[in-house]
Amino acid sequence: MTPELKAAVAFLMELPKPFACGLRHARRFAPKLLTAMAFLGWEEPDEYLAMELVAKSADGLADPPAAIGVRIEDLRPRHIVVRDRAKPAPQTPPQAPCPTHPGLEAAGCPQCAAADAMDRQRRELDAAKGIDDESARKALEAMLANRGPQSRAARGREHAARQGAQAREEASKRDAYLRELEALSG
Ligand SMILES: [Zn+2]
């Protein structure tokens, strides 16, 4: 087996689920894949090739890995695939933008959700250390009132307290905004 054939077999077996081929399909499709690649400007199996082969959903396929054989036959030239992938998805401005992340919808804003999750995690860590929001706030106030040379740990706590306060403020802004929207539509 040539190194190229071996790489193609490995590539087919490592496709994302549910398209990952078993050895039987991978061995059957690998020579066909190499031929198509040589014709279509694919020097090696890369992430674009993987994306292209699994781009169409597996809905309705009884045996998704078997469909890879057909998709190899329909493979497009690499430069076309790369060109199409590089196009930004058409963007529609959000109807009800998040007050903190104006490019995103307020309802289910993923950035707010991420900030919430970070804050929750921080609070859990703090709770494990016996620090609640109130004591974190007091510690922050005390630190601000008493500026002086700070230890690294103190700076870390201050940073965490600031981040937490900011995340909570953003979350409450968004909640208020969503309540307003609800009131308007209801
Ligand atoms: Zn947001």
Side-chain angles (χ1 to χ4, degrees), residues 98 100-101 109 112 174:
C98 171
T100 317
H101 312 105
C109 171
C112 283
R174 178 170 150 275

Side-chain angles (χ1 to χ4, degrees), residues 34-107:
L34 288 179
T35 307
M37 285 169 63
F39 273 111
L40 300 168
W42 299 84
E43 279 181 18
E44 55 182 11
D46 58 10
E47 69 269 33
Y48 284 106
L49 185 59
M51 283 190 289
E52 179 70 357
L53 290 177
V54 305
K56 266 187 253 160
S57 111
D59 287 352
L61 296 178
D63 184 5
I68 294 298
V70 180
R71 294 185 185 184
I72 289 171
E73 283 163 21
D74 291 336
L75 185 63
R76 299 182 299 160
R78 185 174 192 279
H79 71 277
I80 302 289
V81 172
V82 172
R83 183 199 66 191
D84 287 358
R85 285 273 163 189
K87 262 190 232 156
Q91 293 247 326
T92 46
Q95 294 188 323
C98 171
T100 317
H101 312 105
L104 299 166
E105 292 286 354

